[in-house]
Structures are given as structure tokens and as C-alpha cells.
Amino acid sequence: MAAPSASSDAPPATSTPRKYNLRNPLPLSATQEQEVKQMYYKRVRSHCAPEIKAFAECAVNRTITATWVCRSQRLAMNSCMIAHANPEEEDRAREDWFATHEERRREKEAELVRTEKRREEVIRMMREDEARRRQQQAQGK
């Protein structure tokens, strides 16, 4: 039986801070992956906005008939989406997500602070109103 050897992929003790690959530095949660996908789809739709608009205008007030009446617009829209929906675009969306991650986190924290302040203010106002009602009831008796 061979003795366990030291792992070759373990970083040396005096190594510099690890540089992360911006395309995928950390495993993402399902929610985070969904955010990346939303950014990706938004980017693809923005590339194909004229084609999407043309198809939407053609499909107005049509249901089933839009399939064949608006065929050329639909094919143009689909070919544009397929051309731009590639792994490189998804990587760019992932890079954008990581680049703006800290900013979004700070915004969420600031929103939570504002919400908590407003909640405390509402509770204070409710207590003052309740105290005023009690005082009016005591004076009315």
C-alpha cells in the first residue's frame, strides 16, 4: 500500500492571493445562475430587438395565423436569436454578473436598511396613535 502523497494542486503556503477566473470564479447557487441566465437572455434580446419588434407588430391581433402569416419575421427573429445565443454571450453575461455582484449586494443591503427604518417609523407612529386614542378615551370617560 502506497503512502498518501501531498496533493499537487494544494497552493503553497507562501503563494500570492488566488486570481479568480471572471467567467466562473465560484460555483453559483441556483438563484444566482438564474440571474446570470436572465442577464444572458436580456443581452440576446437586445441584440435582436428590431427583429423581435417586427415579429410582434406582425403578430398583433393574430393568434394561430401568426405562425404562417408572419413566417418571414419569425424566421428572421429566430435566426438572430440563435446567432447571438452562444456560449461566448453567456460568458459575457456571467462576467457582467460577477462584475456587478458587489454593487448589487450593497444596493440590497441599503434597501434592507431603508425598509427597516421605515418599518420602525411605522411602528412608532402606530404606537403614538394608539397612545393618543387611549388618552382621548380616558378624557372622554
Side-chain angles (χ1 to χ4, degrees), residues 49-68:
E51 291 84 355
I52 294 170
K53 185 176 180 182
F55 176 71
E57 288 172 352
C58 178
V60 168
N61 295 326
R62 291 190 170 98
T63 55
I64 297 171
T65 59
T67 303
W68 59 86

Side-chain angles (χ1 to χ4, degrees), residues 74-120:
R74 179 178 51 86
L75 292 175
M77 177 184 70
N78 286 348
S79 64
C80 178
M81 301 274 280
I82 289 169
H84 288 92
N86 53 35
E88 292 82 20
E89 194 65 39
E90 190 169 0
D91 289 342
R92 279 191 220 103
R94 188 176 300 279
E95 288 172 1
D96 287 350
W97 187 90
F98 279 110
T100 60
H101 177 67
E102 282 300 313
E103 181 181 331
R104 286 191 314 274
R105 185 186 60 75
R106 282 192 297 271
E107 286 174 3
K108 284 180 185 176
E109 288 177 355
E111 180 64 28
L112 287 174
V113 167
R114 286 192 299 270
T115 301
E116 184 62 24
K117 283 183 180 178
R118 179 65 181 149
R119 187 184 72 78
E120 289 172 359

Side-chain angles (χ1 to χ4, degrees), residues 24-84:
N24 194 8
L26 303 170
L28 300 178
S29 69
T31 305
Q32 293 169 332
E33 281 292 341
Q34 187 63 32
E35 290 174 2
V36 169
K37 286 286 187 187
Q38 287 174 351
M39 290 177 76
Y40 165 64
Y41 293 133
K42 183 178 179 180
R43 291 172 67 95
V44 171
R45 285 190 306 267
S46 69
H47 286 298
C48 301
E51 291 84 355
I52 294 170
K53 185 176 180 182
F55 176 71
E57 288 172 352
C58 178
V60 168
N61 295 326
R62 291 190 170 98
T63 55
I64 297 171
T65 59
T67 303
W68 59 86
V69 172
C70 304
R71 183 170 189 224
S72 62
Q73 293 91 338
R74 179 178 51 86
L75 292 175
M77 177 184 70
N78 286 348
S79 64
C80 178
M81 301 274 280
I82 289 169
H84 288 92

